[in-house]
Amino acid sequence: MKRSAASTVPFVLLRLLAVATASAAAEAEHAANYLVYVNPHPPGVDCQAYQLGILAAALGSEAKAKEAILYNYRNVMSGFSARLTPPELEAVKKQPQVNRVLPSTTLSLMSSKFDGVS
């Protein structure tokens, strides 16, 4: 049975959509959490809005930035934590306000005893 060109087009489009969806899902699986150190926000500018703007510029939209951002830091350091894929990480590193990006890790004590205190 031979398919006509008209019946092949929807099949090809569905196949392309499936491949794109699978690719996006695979990329999301490789996302990791990062600490992003940025320049301090300018006076009179909201800290969270400033940091969200940096991330939105890197990711291409405010919606993507809001989805990726995990926490804003402003007291001890100026920065935020975000869940990023490798391409997103590279885009964030290229932003002029970004000073440093480090993987976010959780550390735990090996012992609950510290100099005889338990």
Side-chain angles (χ1 to χ4, degrees):
M1 179 182 203
K2 191 174 180 181
R3 291 185 185 183
S4 69
S7 67
T8 305
V9 172
F11 175 76
V12 171
L13 290 176
L14 285 175
R15 182 69 182 138
L16 287 173
L17 180 61
V19 169
T21 303
S23 176
E27 192 172 279
E29 288 179 14
H30 291 92
N33 296 347
Y34 294 92
L35 293 174
V36 181
Y37 294 82
V38 300
N39 296 337
H41 63 283
V45 175
D46 178 67
C47 179
Q48 288 181 319
Y50 170 72
Q51 294 173 2
L52 187 65
I54 294 169
L55 189 55
L59 302 185
S61 77
E62 190 172 311
K64 285 183 182 179
K66 285 181 178 179
E67 186 177 308
I69 204 158
L70 301 171
Y71 194 81
N72 295 90
Y73 301 96
R74 61 176 168 229
N75 293 326
V76 176
M77 64 168 259
S78 178
F80 56 89
S81 60
R83 185 155 183 83
L84 305 168
T85 63
E88 291 171 339
L89 173 63
E90 293 308 311
V92 167
K93 287 180 178 180
K94 292 178 182 175
Q95 296 303 305
Q97 306 92 334
V98 173
N99 296 319
R100 190 171 191 185
V101 180
L102 299 172
S104 178
T105 58
T106 301
L107 303 176
S108 60
L109 295 174
M110 293 178 68
S111 172
S112 61
K113 294 183 180 181
F114 183 77
D115 287 340
V117 178
S118 58

